Short mmCIF file of all heavy atoms in Angstrom, two decimals:
data_model
loop_
_atom_site.label_atom_id
_atom_site.label_comp_id
_atom_site.label_asym_id
_atom_site.label_seq_id
_atom_site.Cartn_x
_atom_site.Cartn_y
_atom_site.Cartn_z
N MET A 1 11.39 9.07 8.36
CA MET A 1 10.31 8.37 7.63
C MET A 1 10.59 8.61 6.05
O MET A 1 11.02 9.56 5.67
CB MET A 1 8.93 8.99 8.00
CG MET A 1 8.43 8.66 9.40
SD MET A 1 8.10 6.91 9.54
CE MET A 1 8.05 6.80 11.38
N THR A 2 10.10 7.53 5.48
CA THR A 2 10.15 7.54 4.01
C THR A 2 8.84 7.43 3.43
O THR A 2 7.86 6.75 4.02
CB THR A 2 10.89 6.27 3.51
OG1 THR A 2 12.24 6.33 4.04
CG2 THR A 2 11.04 6.22 1.99
N THR A 3 8.56 8.19 2.40
CA THR A 3 7.16 8.01 1.77
C THR A 3 7.35 7.50 0.32
O THR A 3 8.35 7.70 -0.36
CB THR A 3 6.49 9.49 1.65
OG1 THR A 3 7.42 10.35 0.92
CG2 THR A 3 6.24 10.04 3.02
N THR A 4 6.23 6.72 -0.18
CA THR A 4 6.29 6.27 -1.41
C THR A 4 4.88 6.19 -1.99
O THR A 4 3.94 6.16 -1.19
CB THR A 4 6.88 4.83 -1.39
OG1 THR A 4 6.98 4.29 -2.84
CG2 THR A 4 6.03 3.81 -0.61
N ALA A 5 4.70 6.24 -3.23
CA ALA A 5 3.49 6.08 -3.91
C ALA A 5 3.50 4.85 -4.77
O ALA A 5 4.48 4.76 -5.60
CB ALA A 5 3.15 7.26 -4.67
N ILE A 6 2.57 3.97 -4.55
CA ILE A 6 2.61 2.66 -5.30
C ILE A 6 1.36 2.55 -6.14
O ILE A 6 0.21 2.73 -5.72
CB ILE A 6 2.66 1.56 -4.27
CG1 ILE A 6 3.92 1.64 -3.38
CG2 ILE A 6 2.60 0.10 -5.02
CD1 ILE A 6 3.83 0.78 -2.18
N LYS A 7 1.53 2.38 -7.38
CA LYS A 7 0.38 2.12 -8.38
C LYS A 7 -0.16 0.77 -8.14
O LYS A 7 0.51 -0.24 -8.32
CB LYS A 7 0.89 2.40 -9.85
CG LYS A 7 -0.12 2.55 -10.77
CD LYS A 7 -0.49 4.08 -10.82
CE LYS A 7 -1.53 4.34 -11.86
NZ LYS A 7 -1.94 5.77 -11.81
N VAL A 8 -1.49 0.77 -8.05
CA VAL A 8 -2.18 -0.56 -7.83
C VAL A 8 -3.44 -0.57 -8.68
O VAL A 8 -4.54 -0.01 -8.30
CB VAL A 8 -2.59 -0.78 -6.40
CG1 VAL A 8 -3.35 -2.13 -6.15
CG2 VAL A 8 -1.33 -0.78 -5.43
N PRO A 9 -3.36 -1.17 -9.85
CA PRO A 9 -4.43 -1.02 -10.84
C PRO A 9 -5.68 -1.57 -10.47
O PRO A 9 -6.73 -1.19 -10.94
CB PRO A 9 -3.87 -1.84 -12.11
CG PRO A 9 -2.41 -1.81 -11.93
CD PRO A 9 -2.15 -1.84 -10.40
N LYS A 10 -5.74 -2.58 -9.53
CA LYS A 10 -6.96 -3.14 -9.16
C LYS A 10 -7.83 -2.32 -8.20
O LYS A 10 -8.99 -2.65 -7.90
CB LYS A 10 -6.74 -4.52 -8.56
CG LYS A 10 -6.42 -5.59 -9.56
CD LYS A 10 -6.20 -6.84 -8.91
CE LYS A 10 -7.42 -7.57 -8.46
NZ LYS A 10 -7.14 -8.82 -7.77
N ILE A 11 -7.34 -1.14 -7.71
CA ILE A 11 -8.10 -0.29 -6.82
C ILE A 11 -9.34 0.17 -7.55
O ILE A 11 -9.20 0.79 -8.64
CB ILE A 11 -7.27 0.85 -6.25
CG1 ILE A 11 -6.23 0.33 -5.33
CG2 ILE A 11 -8.26 1.90 -5.44
CD1 ILE A 11 -5.20 1.37 -4.89
N ARG A 12 -10.52 0.03 -7.10
CA ARG A 12 -11.72 0.43 -7.67
C ARG A 12 -12.68 1.24 -6.78
O ARG A 12 -13.48 2.06 -7.26
CB ARG A 12 -12.52 -0.74 -8.33
CG ARG A 12 -11.76 -1.46 -9.34
CD ARG A 12 -12.55 -2.46 -10.11
NE ARG A 12 -13.68 -1.84 -10.60
CZ ARG A 12 -14.39 -2.36 -11.70
NH1 ARG A 12 -14.09 -3.49 -12.23
NH2 ARG A 12 -15.51 -1.69 -12.08
N CYS A 13 -12.73 0.93 -5.49
CA CYS A 13 -13.77 1.46 -4.61
C CYS A 13 -13.28 1.65 -3.19
O CYS A 13 -12.19 1.20 -2.85
CB CYS A 13 -15.02 0.67 -4.77
SG CYS A 13 -14.88 -0.98 -3.89
N GLU A 14 -14.17 2.15 -2.27
CA GLU A 14 -13.81 2.22 -0.98
C GLU A 14 -13.60 0.95 -0.29
O GLU A 14 -12.79 0.76 0.68
CB GLU A 14 -15.07 2.95 -0.14
CG GLU A 14 -15.21 4.42 -0.53
CD GLU A 14 -14.11 5.25 -0.02
OE1 GLU A 14 -13.28 4.84 0.84
OE2 GLU A 14 -14.09 6.46 -0.52
N GLY A 15 -14.23 -0.12 -0.80
CA GLY A 15 -13.93 -1.49 -0.24
C GLY A 15 -12.49 -1.87 -0.40
O GLY A 15 -11.90 -2.39 0.46
N CYS A 16 -12.04 -1.60 -1.58
CA CYS A 16 -10.66 -1.91 -1.98
C CYS A 16 -9.78 -1.15 -1.01
O CYS A 16 -8.80 -1.69 -0.44
CB CYS A 16 -10.27 -1.54 -3.40
SG CYS A 16 -11.28 -2.35 -4.58
N ALA A 17 -10.01 0.18 -0.90
CA ALA A 17 -9.26 1.01 -0.01
C ALA A 17 -9.17 0.53 1.45
O ALA A 17 -8.13 0.46 2.10
CB ALA A 17 -9.76 2.53 -0.08
N ALA A 18 -10.31 0.04 1.91
CA ALA A 18 -10.44 -0.43 3.25
C ALA A 18 -9.54 -1.70 3.47
O ALA A 18 -8.85 -1.91 4.44
CB ALA A 18 -11.84 -0.70 3.71
N THR A 19 -9.63 -2.58 2.42
CA THR A 19 -8.88 -3.82 2.61
C THR A 19 -7.41 -3.48 2.46
O THR A 19 -6.60 -4.03 3.36
CB THR A 19 -9.12 -4.73 1.33
OG1 THR A 19 -10.57 -5.00 1.35
CG2 THR A 19 -8.37 -6.00 1.34
N ILE A 20 -6.98 -2.61 1.65
CA ILE A 20 -5.48 -2.14 1.63
C ILE A 20 -5.05 -1.51 2.94
O ILE A 20 -3.94 -1.85 3.38
CB ILE A 20 -5.30 -1.30 0.37
CG1 ILE A 20 -5.43 -2.01 -0.84
CG2 ILE A 20 -4.00 -0.59 0.46
CD1 ILE A 20 -5.52 -1.28 -2.17
N THR A 21 -5.94 -0.69 3.49
CA THR A 21 -5.55 0.09 4.72
C THR A 21 -5.37 -0.98 5.85
O THR A 21 -4.44 -0.89 6.62
CB THR A 21 -6.57 1.08 5.04
OG1 THR A 21 -6.67 2.02 3.97
CG2 THR A 21 -6.28 1.82 6.31
N ARG A 22 -6.21 -1.97 5.83
CA ARG A 22 -6.14 -2.99 6.90
C ARG A 22 -4.90 -3.80 6.74
O ARG A 22 -4.17 -4.13 7.67
CB ARG A 22 -7.38 -3.91 6.84
CG ARG A 22 -7.67 -4.67 8.07
CD ARG A 22 -9.11 -5.05 8.13
NE ARG A 22 -9.56 -5.77 6.85
CZ ARG A 22 -10.62 -5.31 6.10
NH1 ARG A 22 -11.29 -4.27 6.44
NH2 ARG A 22 -10.87 -5.94 5.04
N ALA A 23 -4.64 -4.21 5.49
CA ALA A 23 -3.46 -5.01 5.29
C ALA A 23 -2.09 -4.30 5.59
O ALA A 23 -1.17 -4.89 6.20
CB ALA A 23 -3.36 -5.43 3.79
N LEU A 24 -2.05 -3.02 5.24
CA LEU A 24 -0.82 -2.30 5.55
C LEU A 24 -0.67 -2.01 7.03
O LEU A 24 0.37 -1.88 7.64
CB LEU A 24 -0.77 -1.01 4.73
CG LEU A 24 -0.59 -1.23 3.23
CD1 LEU A 24 -0.60 0.17 2.61
CD2 LEU A 24 0.52 -2.09 2.82
N GLY A 25 -1.93 -1.74 7.68
CA GLY A 25 -1.92 -1.50 9.16
C GLY A 25 -1.39 -2.66 9.95
O GLY A 25 -0.87 -2.57 11.04
N ALA A 26 -1.36 -3.86 9.43
CA ALA A 26 -0.89 -5.02 10.08
C ALA A 26 0.67 -5.13 10.03
O ALA A 26 1.23 -5.97 10.72
CB ALA A 26 -1.49 -6.35 9.53
N LEU A 27 1.26 -4.34 9.28
CA LEU A 27 2.72 -4.41 9.10
C LEU A 27 3.34 -3.53 10.18
O LEU A 27 2.82 -2.47 10.52
CB LEU A 27 3.18 -3.92 7.81
CG LEU A 27 2.89 -4.69 6.47
CD1 LEU A 27 3.36 -3.94 5.22
CD2 LEU A 27 3.47 -6.12 6.61
N PRO A 28 4.54 -3.92 10.60
CA PRO A 28 5.27 -2.99 11.54
C PRO A 28 5.86 -1.81 10.81
O PRO A 28 6.13 -1.94 9.50
CB PRO A 28 6.43 -3.87 12.08
CG PRO A 28 6.61 -4.84 10.98
CD PRO A 28 5.31 -5.13 10.42
N GLY A 29 6.04 -0.68 11.37
CA GLY A 29 6.72 0.43 10.73
C GLY A 29 5.94 1.31 9.76
O GLY A 29 6.58 2.20 9.13
N ILE A 30 4.67 0.99 9.74
CA ILE A 30 3.88 1.91 8.72
C ILE A 30 3.28 3.05 9.59
O ILE A 30 2.59 2.86 10.50
CB ILE A 30 2.63 1.08 8.16
CG1 ILE A 30 3.09 -0.12 7.47
CG2 ILE A 30 1.80 2.00 7.29
CD1 ILE A 30 3.94 0.12 6.20
N ALA A 31 3.75 4.22 9.26
CA ALA A 31 3.26 5.45 10.04
C ALA A 31 1.93 5.89 9.45
O ALA A 31 1.08 6.34 10.23
CB ALA A 31 4.29 6.54 9.90
N ALA A 32 1.67 5.85 8.18
CA ALA A 32 0.44 6.30 7.64
C ALA A 32 0.29 5.68 6.30
O ALA A 32 1.30 5.40 5.54
CB ALA A 32 0.48 7.77 7.54
N SER A 33 -0.97 5.44 5.86
CA SER A 33 -1.19 5.09 4.52
C SER A 33 -2.51 5.62 4.01
O SER A 33 -3.37 5.93 4.86
CB SER A 33 -1.29 3.52 4.32
OG SER A 33 -2.34 3.07 4.96
N ARG A 34 -2.49 6.02 2.78
CA ARG A 34 -3.73 6.64 2.19
C ARG A 34 -3.90 6.16 0.80
O ARG A 34 -2.98 6.00 -0.01
CB ARG A 34 -3.41 8.17 2.07
CG ARG A 34 -4.64 9.06 1.77
CD ARG A 34 -4.29 10.56 1.78
NE ARG A 34 -3.57 10.89 0.59
CZ ARG A 34 -2.35 11.27 0.47
NH1 ARG A 34 -1.57 11.30 1.59
NH2 ARG A 34 -1.76 11.74 -0.56
N VAL A 35 -5.15 5.79 0.48
CA VAL A 35 -5.44 5.22 -0.86
C VAL A 35 -6.16 6.27 -1.63
O VAL A 35 -7.15 6.82 -1.22
CB VAL A 35 -6.37 3.96 -0.74
CG1 VAL A 35 -6.65 3.47 -2.07
CG2 VAL A 35 -5.65 2.81 0.15
N GLU A 36 -5.55 6.52 -2.83
CA GLU A 36 -6.20 7.44 -3.77
C GLU A 36 -6.85 6.68 -4.77
O GLU A 36 -6.24 6.25 -5.77
CB GLU A 36 -5.11 8.39 -4.37
CG GLU A 36 -4.20 9.22 -3.29
CD GLU A 36 -4.95 10.43 -2.86
OE1 GLU A 36 -6.14 10.77 -3.44
OE2 GLU A 36 -4.43 11.12 -2.04
N ILE A 37 -8.15 6.52 -4.67
CA ILE A 37 -8.96 5.70 -5.59
C ILE A 37 -8.95 6.26 -6.95
O ILE A 37 -8.80 5.45 -7.94
CB ILE A 37 -10.44 5.53 -5.00
CG1 ILE A 37 -10.38 4.86 -3.67
CG2 ILE A 37 -11.30 4.75 -5.99
CD1 ILE A 37 -11.81 4.92 -2.86
N ALA A 38 -9.06 7.57 -7.04
CA ALA A 38 -9.22 8.08 -8.49
C ALA A 38 -8.03 7.75 -9.36
O ALA A 38 -8.15 7.63 -10.56
CB ALA A 38 -9.46 9.53 -8.37
N VAL A 39 -6.83 7.79 -8.73
CA VAL A 39 -5.60 7.50 -9.56
C VAL A 39 -5.01 6.22 -9.19
O VAL A 39 -3.86 5.87 -9.70
CB VAL A 39 -4.53 8.65 -9.21
CG1 VAL A 39 -4.98 9.96 -9.78
CG2 VAL A 39 -4.31 8.80 -7.76
N LYS A 40 -5.68 5.32 -8.48
CA LYS A 40 -5.25 3.94 -8.17
C LYS A 40 -3.95 3.95 -7.64
O LYS A 40 -3.00 3.16 -8.10
CB LYS A 40 -5.44 3.10 -9.50
CG LYS A 40 -6.81 3.04 -10.08
CD LYS A 40 -6.90 2.17 -11.19
CE LYS A 40 -8.28 2.26 -11.92
NZ LYS A 40 -9.34 1.79 -11.14
N GLU A 41 -3.61 4.66 -6.54
CA GLU A 41 -2.40 4.71 -5.94
C GLU A 41 -2.51 4.64 -4.40
O GLU A 41 -3.53 4.96 -3.82
CB GLU A 41 -1.62 6.13 -6.17
CG GLU A 41 -0.99 6.17 -7.56
CD GLU A 41 -0.28 7.48 -7.73
OE1 GLU A 41 -0.32 8.37 -6.90
OE2 GLU A 41 0.27 7.69 -8.87
N VAL A 42 -1.50 3.92 -3.83
CA VAL A 42 -1.45 3.89 -2.35
C VAL A 42 -0.14 4.65 -1.95
O VAL A 42 0.92 4.47 -2.39
CB VAL A 42 -1.17 2.43 -1.90
CG1 VAL A 42 -1.25 2.36 -0.34
CG2 VAL A 42 -2.40 1.54 -2.51
N HIS A 43 -0.43 5.66 -1.02
CA HIS A 43 0.59 6.46 -0.54
C HIS A 43 0.99 5.97 0.85
O HIS A 43 0.08 5.90 1.67
CB HIS A 43 0.18 7.93 -0.51
CG HIS A 43 -0.09 8.56 -1.81
ND1 HIS A 43 0.81 9.48 -2.43
CD2 HIS A 43 -0.95 8.25 -2.89
CE1 HIS A 43 0.32 9.79 -3.61
NE2 HIS A 43 -0.74 9.03 -3.89
N VAL A 44 2.20 5.70 1.06
CA VAL A 44 2.54 5.04 2.35
C VAL A 44 3.75 5.85 2.92
O VAL A 44 4.76 6.25 2.22
CB VAL A 44 3.03 3.61 2.13
CG1 VAL A 44 3.24 2.96 3.50
CG2 VAL A 44 2.07 2.92 1.34
N GLU A 45 3.68 6.13 4.17
CA GLU A 45 4.71 6.80 4.92
C GLU A 45 5.20 5.71 5.90
O GLU A 45 4.50 5.13 6.78
CB GLU A 45 4.32 7.92 5.76
CG GLU A 45 5.34 8.75 6.47
CD GLU A 45 4.69 9.94 7.22
OE1 GLU A 45 3.57 10.33 6.90
OE2 GLU A 45 5.41 10.49 8.07
N TYR A 46 6.48 5.28 5.90
CA TYR A 46 7.04 4.19 6.66
C TYR A 46 8.36 4.39 7.26
O TYR A 46 9.08 5.30 6.70
CB TYR A 46 7.01 2.92 5.90
CG TYR A 46 7.92 2.91 4.63
CD1 TYR A 46 9.12 2.34 4.77
CD2 TYR A 46 7.53 3.37 3.46
CE1 TYR A 46 10.06 2.25 3.71
CE2 TYR A 46 8.32 3.30 2.35
CZ TYR A 46 9.69 2.75 2.53
OH TYR A 46 10.50 2.77 1.41
N ASP A 47 8.69 3.71 8.30
CA ASP A 47 10.05 3.70 8.94
C ASP A 47 10.82 2.67 8.25
O ASP A 47 10.66 1.43 8.44
CB ASP A 47 9.86 3.45 10.42
CG ASP A 47 11.22 3.37 11.08
OD1 ASP A 47 12.29 3.64 10.44
OD2 ASP A 47 11.26 3.18 12.34
N PRO A 48 11.99 3.16 7.49
CA PRO A 48 12.77 2.19 6.69
C PRO A 48 13.62 1.24 7.65
O PRO A 48 14.14 0.22 7.12
CB PRO A 48 13.66 3.07 5.84
CG PRO A 48 13.68 4.36 6.45
CD PRO A 48 12.31 4.48 7.31
N ALA A 49 13.75 1.52 8.91
CA ALA A 49 14.36 0.64 9.77
C ALA A 49 13.56 -0.55 10.20
O ALA A 49 14.15 -1.60 10.63
CB ALA A 49 14.75 1.37 11.08
N GLN A 50 12.21 -0.40 9.93
CA GLN A 50 11.30 -1.54 10.37
C GLN A 50 10.67 -2.32 9.19
O GLN A 50 10.26 -3.49 9.34
CB GLN A 50 10.16 -0.97 11.24
CG GLN A 50 10.55 -0.44 12.53
CD GLN A 50 9.45 -0.04 13.35
OE1 GLN A 50 8.69 -0.86 13.75
NE2 GLN A 50 9.24 1.29 13.59
N VAL A 51 10.64 -1.72 8.09
CA VAL A 51 9.92 -2.33 6.90
C VAL A 51 10.46 -1.63 5.63
O VAL A 51 11.00 -0.52 5.65
CB VAL A 51 8.36 -2.10 7.01
CG1 VAL A 51 8.00 -0.58 6.90
CG2 VAL A 51 7.54 -2.93 6.17
N ASP A 52 10.43 -2.44 4.57
CA ASP A 52 10.87 -1.79 3.28
C ASP A 52 9.74 -1.95 2.26
O ASP A 52 8.78 -2.59 2.39
CB ASP A 52 12.23 -2.49 2.80
CG ASP A 52 12.12 -3.95 2.56
OD1 ASP A 52 10.97 -4.53 2.36
OD2 ASP A 52 13.11 -4.62 2.63
N GLU A 53 10.06 -1.41 1.11
CA GLU A 53 9.08 -1.32 0.02
C GLU A 53 8.79 -2.68 -0.48
O GLU A 53 7.61 -2.97 -0.83
CB GLU A 53 9.59 -0.41 -1.12
CG GLU A 53 8.46 -0.04 -1.99
CD GLU A 53 8.63 1.36 -2.71
OE1 GLU A 53 9.38 2.22 -2.23
OE2 GLU A 53 7.83 1.65 -3.67
N GLY A 54 9.68 -3.58 -0.51
CA GLY A 54 9.45 -4.86 -0.89
C GLY A 54 8.49 -5.64 -0.04
O GLY A 54 7.58 -6.33 -0.58
N ARG A 55 8.58 -5.40 1.22
CA ARG A 55 7.67 -5.97 2.20
C ARG A 55 6.26 -5.39 2.02
O ARG A 55 5.21 -6.12 2.08
CB ARG A 55 8.09 -5.77 3.66
CG ARG A 55 7.21 -6.39 4.63
CD ARG A 55 7.30 -7.93 4.68
NE ARG A 55 6.37 -8.55 5.54
CZ ARG A 55 5.04 -8.71 5.17
NH1 ARG A 55 4.62 -8.43 3.98
NH2 ARG A 55 4.23 -9.39 5.96
N ILE A 56 6.16 -4.14 1.76
CA ILE A 56 4.91 -3.47 1.47
C ILE A 56 4.16 -4.03 0.25
O ILE A 56 3.06 -4.30 0.18
CB ILE A 56 5.04 -1.96 1.35
CG1 ILE A 56 5.50 -1.40 2.81
CG2 ILE A 56 3.81 -1.22 0.98
CD1 ILE A 56 6.04 0.06 2.64
N HIS A 57 5.10 -4.19 -0.81
CA HIS A 57 4.53 -4.77 -2.03
C HIS A 57 3.93 -6.17 -1.83
O HIS A 57 2.92 -6.57 -2.39
CB HIS A 57 5.60 -4.80 -3.11
CG HIS A 57 5.82 -3.43 -3.78
ND1 HIS A 57 6.09 -3.30 -5.16
CD2 HIS A 57 5.96 -2.26 -3.29
CE1 HIS A 57 6.29 -2.04 -5.44
NE2 HIS A 57 6.18 -1.29 -4.41
N ARG A 58 4.67 -6.97 -1.05
CA ARG A 58 4.27 -8.27 -0.76
C ARG A 58 2.98 -8.35 0.04
O ARG A 58 1.97 -9.11 -0.36
CB ARG A 58 5.38 -9.05 0.09
CG ARG A 58 4.98 -10.58 0.26
CD ARG A 58 6.22 -11.36 0.45
NE ARG A 58 7.13 -10.92 1.51
CZ ARG A 58 7.02 -11.41 2.76
NH1 ARG A 58 6.09 -12.26 3.07
NH2 ARG A 58 7.89 -11.08 3.68
N ALA A 59 2.78 -7.43 0.96
CA ALA A 59 1.50 -7.37 1.73
C ALA A 59 0.40 -7.00 0.70
O ALA A 59 -0.73 -7.52 0.96
CB ALA A 59 1.65 -6.34 2.77
N LEU A 60 0.64 -6.05 -0.17
CA LEU A 60 -0.43 -5.70 -1.12
C LEU A 60 -0.76 -6.91 -2.04
O LEU A 60 -1.94 -7.21 -2.32
CB LEU A 60 0.12 -4.57 -2.00
CG LEU A 60 0.16 -3.25 -1.38
CD1 LEU A 60 0.89 -2.25 -2.13
CD2 LEU A 60 -1.17 -2.67 -0.95
N ARG A 61 0.15 -7.71 -2.51
CA ARG A 61 -0.11 -8.84 -3.26
C ARG A 61 -0.91 -9.85 -2.53
O ARG A 61 -1.83 -10.39 -2.96
CB ARG A 61 1.27 -9.51 -3.71
CG ARG A 61 1.87 -8.92 -4.98
CD ARG A 61 2.91 -9.79 -5.63
NE ARG A 61 3.98 -10.18 -4.71
CZ ARG A 61 5.03 -9.40 -4.45
NH1 ARG A 61 5.22 -8.26 -5.15
NH2 ARG A 61 5.91 -9.76 -3.59
N GLU A 62 -0.50 -10.06 -1.24
CA GLU A 62 -1.17 -11.09 -0.38
C GLU A 62 -2.62 -10.56 -0.18
O GLU A 62 -3.43 -11.44 0.06
CB GLU A 62 -0.41 -11.25 0.91
CG GLU A 62 0.87 -12.07 0.72
CD GLU A 62 1.79 -12.01 1.94
OE1 GLU A 62 1.46 -11.36 2.91
OE2 GLU A 62 2.79 -12.76 1.99
N ALA A 63 -2.87 -9.35 -0.11
CA ALA A 63 -4.19 -8.86 0.10
C ALA A 63 -5.12 -8.80 -1.22
O ALA A 63 -6.26 -8.51 -1.24
CB ALA A 63 -4.12 -7.44 0.59
N GLY A 64 -4.40 -9.28 -2.31
CA GLY A 64 -5.22 -9.31 -3.61
C GLY A 64 -5.07 -8.09 -4.47
O GLY A 64 -5.85 -7.94 -5.46
N PHE A 65 -4.09 -7.19 -4.13
CA PHE A 65 -3.92 -6.00 -4.79
C PHE A 65 -2.55 -5.83 -5.25
O PHE A 65 -1.78 -4.96 -4.72
CB PHE A 65 -4.38 -4.83 -4.02
CG PHE A 65 -5.83 -4.75 -3.82
CD1 PHE A 65 -6.44 -5.32 -2.67
CD2 PHE A 65 -6.72 -4.21 -4.67
CE1 PHE A 65 -7.78 -5.36 -2.45
CE2 PHE A 65 -8.15 -4.21 -4.49
CZ PHE A 65 -8.63 -4.80 -3.45
N PRO A 66 -2.06 -6.58 -6.21
CA PRO A 66 -0.68 -6.52 -6.59
C PRO A 66 -0.28 -5.15 -7.18
O PRO A 66 -1.08 -4.57 -8.05
CB PRO A 66 -0.57 -7.67 -7.75
CG PRO A 66 -1.87 -7.82 -8.17
CD PRO A 66 -2.84 -7.54 -7.02
N PRO A 67 0.91 -4.60 -6.85
CA PRO A 67 1.30 -3.40 -7.46
C PRO A 67 1.58 -3.58 -8.95
O PRO A 67 1.85 -4.68 -9.36
CB PRO A 67 2.72 -3.08 -6.67
CG PRO A 67 2.56 -3.95 -5.51
CD PRO A 67 1.79 -5.15 -5.80
N ALA A 68 1.45 -2.42 -9.62
CA ALA A 68 1.87 -2.54 -11.04
C ALA A 68 3.39 -2.58 -11.12
O ALA A 68 4.07 -2.17 -10.27
CB ALA A 68 1.47 -1.10 -11.72
N THR A 69 3.91 -3.33 -12.19
CA THR A 69 5.29 -3.53 -12.33
C THR A 69 5.88 -2.63 -13.35
O THR A 69 5.13 -2.01 -14.05
CB THR A 69 5.58 -5.00 -12.71
OG1 THR A 69 4.80 -5.31 -13.79
CG2 THR A 69 5.34 -5.96 -11.57
CU1 LIG B 101 -13.26 -2.16 -4.36
#
């Protein structure tokens, strides 16, 4: 498993966190995800054989929460 922390400036509340958790849960290969609202970060544990960070970033963009560049 690989873990990553992705900065997402638009995270503001539990509603945002729920949307993000749902969006990432729809991807294959996501073992766990946790949204840290206070620091506007998404922590993701994933199987690199099934999904990569680019795909995770795309899912976040599609959910309305683009990662910081
Ligand atoms: Cu929100």
Side-chain angles (χ1 to χ4, degrees):
M1 287 296 163
T2 300
T3 57
T4 186
I6 302 167
K7 197 83 178 171
V8 180
K10 284 179 70 180
I11 293 172
R12 297 189 56 159
C13 71
E14 291 290 346
C16 301
T19 300
I20 287 168
T21 299
R22 199 160 49 238
L24 295 182
L27 293 179
I30 304 293
S33 68
R34 188 177 80 251
V35 179
E36 299 281 356
I37 297 170
V39 291
K40 302 181 188 294
E41 280 180 0
V42 183
H43 295 247
V44 188
E45 185 180 344
Y46 64 94
D47 177 357
Q50 294 186 66
V51 68
D52 60 21
E53 192 150 350
R55 182 69 189 85
I56 294 168
H57 282 221
R58 183 150 61 88
L60 288 169
R61 276 197 303 277
E62 288 170 355
F65 292 94
T69 48

